[in-house]
Amino acid sequence: ATSLKLEPQTKIQKIICDADLAHLGQISFKEKNAKLRQEWILLEALDPTDREWVLLNIEFLESHSYFTQTAKKLFSKQKKINLDDLHQLKNELKAKL
């Protein structure tokens, strides 16, 4: 149910998908996202530059939607804040170039 390539069909699958990506709309997003990056590097799945990582996350958050009304209510506001923070970081990284 948590595969990003499959669209959840049942209510249970939708709930599980929303729970799996709840961190996108939580205050702890930045810390959890840093741990995810380290996991990907350790697994040799991806070793992005700071800019690549920020752009990848912006693209993912912009394309992501929660499936249940509960998740939308609980996580959408903070997800927007997290996305805004990523855009700010992108601008800061651009200014350093």
Side-chain angles (χ1 to χ4, degrees):
T2 58
S3 172
L4 296 176
K5 296 175 182 156
L6 300 175
E7 186 81 15
Q9 300 300 311
T10 68
K11 182 142 180 104
I12 295 295
Q13 288 174 342
K14 291 175 182 180
I15 291 168
I16 291 170
C17 284
D18 284 350
D20 186 48
L21 295 176
H23 71 283
L24 302 179
Q26 295 175 336
I27 293 171
S28 60
F29 170 76
K30 186 175 181 179
E31 293 79 23
K32 289 181 180 180
N33 199 38
K35 289 179 182 180
L36 176 63
R37 183 180 183 185
Q38 288 304 311
E39 179 181 332
W40 284 12
I41 291 169
L42 289 172
L43 294 173
E44 298 179 355
L46 190 66
D47 190 5
T49 65
D50 290 345
R51 181 169 168 70
E52 290 169 337
W53 183 249
V54 169
L55 293 174
L56 179 70
N57 279 277
I58 288 172
E59 181 181 340
F60 185 72
L61 264 69
E62 288 180 341
S63 68
H64 170 266
S65 294
Y66 288 110
F67 295 101
T68 65
Q69 289 303 312
T70 301
K72 290 175 186 176
K73 181 179 176 184
L74 290 173
F75 305 125
S76 291
K77 183 178 179 182
Q78 184 62 46
K79 181 180 155 190
K80 167 88 169 79
I81 292 169
N82 294 338
L83 182 57
D84 290 345
D85 289 347
L86 286 167
H87 278 288
Q88 178 64 34
L89 185 54
K90 177 184 81 171
N91 292 336
E92 290 170 9
L93 291 169
K94 185 189 285 187
K96 289 182 181 179
L97 294 177

